[in-house]
Amino acid sequence: MTADSAASSGPSLAGPRHVAIIMDGNGRWAKARGLPRALGHREGVQALKRTIQAAPDLGIECLTVFGFSTENWSRPEDEVSDLMGLVRTYVASDLARLEKAGVRLRILGRREGLPADIAAIIDRAESQTAHNDQFLLQVAFNYGGRADLVDAARRHMARLAAGETTEPLTEQALEAGLTTAGSPPLDLIVRTSGEQRLSNFLLWEAAYAELVFQDILWPDYGPKALAEAIQAFGQRDRRYGGRAVSPLRETA
């Protein structure tokens, strides 16, 4: 959403349509229990399942989660391998359920550099759920906010070079090239584990989103924590760069 369109939409008293979550704390959850980090990631998948199931009941239409960043490739090889294995397991175990529930699955981020079978799994999951319109689940995988902005600019320049457009690079043109293009405007970003930073997540989309930081490790997350984040959102005064309108005083 651009600043102009956000400002024209005015403040909203409704709950968030689009919520994004930075799922942080898997490693610390495992360490606190003397368990391997891999078990923390696996419990994190269970937390994701609980959260996805709860989201529509809380009025959310689109949920975007940070699954694997472009920076995560620098982690130890065995941890990266385990994370890739979780993608295979999750899609194999939950794709049919998501499709039946009317969930459309969309993967954000770069496809280049992914293992061939992971790229194929992503393509299959997207095509198999493309017809669904009850709920949009976006998983940022091999994703970085800066990289997505660069890729969007490159797409526009490629269209210019090919003669497909003569439009200059405007905010609207850049936004149309992001991997989030077409999703509802982002209302709320939640980060778990007590950390308070975006970590290169949805940098463009976060321009007017509310931020909620929760001191809970991701494997412990679920419907109650999500409801608390939405409650915090409801207490915010969203002005989109404008000024709050003071209520008229009653005259005698």
Side-chain angles (χ1 to χ4, degrees):
M1 174 181 274
T2 65
D4 290 341
S5 62
S8 65
S9 66
S12 173
L13 299 179
R17 295 176 59 208
H18 183 178
V19 175
I21 303 179
I22 301 174
M23 306 178 292
D24 194 16
N26 291 343
R28 275 168 282 173
W29 183 92
K31 183 178 180 180
R33 290 160 176 76
L35 300 172
R37 289 179 65 90
L39 289 182
H41 292 311
R42 291 171 193 173
E43 286 301 316
V45 171
Q46 298 307 312
L48 176 59
K49 291 180 180 181
R50 293 192 297 269
T51 303
I52 293 170
Q53 290 177 337
D57 293 335
L58 293 169
I60 299 170
E61 300 174 16
C62 175
L63 181 68
T64 302
V65 296
F66 206 177
F68 189 87
S69 76
T70 51
E71 291 81 17
N72 285 157
W73 293 106
S74 64
R75 293 190 176 187
E77 185 177 345
D78 59 342
E79 184 175 358
V80 172
S81 177
D82 187 71
L83 289 168
M84 295 297 154
L86 287 177
V87 174
R88 300 179 181 98
T89 301
Y90 177 71
V91 172
S93 65
D94 260 42
L95 183 57
R97 183 186 64 79
L98 293 173
E99 183 181 15
K100 185 177 181 181
V103 176
R104 178 187 170 199
L105 183 59
R106 188 182 189 196
I107 308 301
L108 312 178
R110 291 175 171 172
R111 305 296 168 92
E112 300 83 1
L114 290 177
D117 69 315
I118 296 293
I121 287 171
I122 287 173
D123 289 343
R124 177 168 61 87
E126 287 187 328
S127 62
Q128 194 167 321
T129 61
H131 62 284
N132 287 338
D133 58 7
Q134 297 299 306
F135 186 80
L136 176 59
L137 172 62
Q138 299 187 128
V139 180
F141 194 80
N142 196 26
Y143 173 90
R146 291 176 176 177
D148 209 36
L149 285 165
V150 169
D151 291 346
R154 286 174 173 167
R155 291 185 187 103
H156 184 77
M157 298 307 292
R159 292 185 65 211
L160 284 172
E164 297 174 1
T165 184
T166 57
E167 180 184 5
L169 184 57
T170 61
E171 289 188 13
Q172 291 78 12
L174 184 66
E175 189 171 71
L178 297 171
T179 53
T180 55
S183 61
L186 181 60
D187 296 306
L188 171 64
I189 296 180
V190 176
R191 181 167 188 151
T192 63
S193 85
E195 302 290 352
Q196 299 186 13
R197 56 182 176 273
L198 290 178
S199 294
N200 199 20
F201 183 49
L202 299 179
L203 299 181
W204 177 276
E205 298 83 354
Y208 282 96
E210 297 297 319
L211 307 179
V212 171
F213 303 104
Q214 294 179 289
D215 194 12
I216 177 174
L217 299 177
W218 177 249
D220 293 325
Y221 209 82
K224 181 175 182 294
L226 183 59
E228 289 172 352
I230 291 175
Q231 183 180 25
F233 172 88
Q235 297 170 353
R236 305 290 177 85
D237 182 11
R238 306 186 76 198
R239 298 190 297 275
Y240 301 100
R243 295 178 59 187
V245 179
S246 302
L248 296 175
R249 294 184 179 179
E250 294 183 1
T251 57

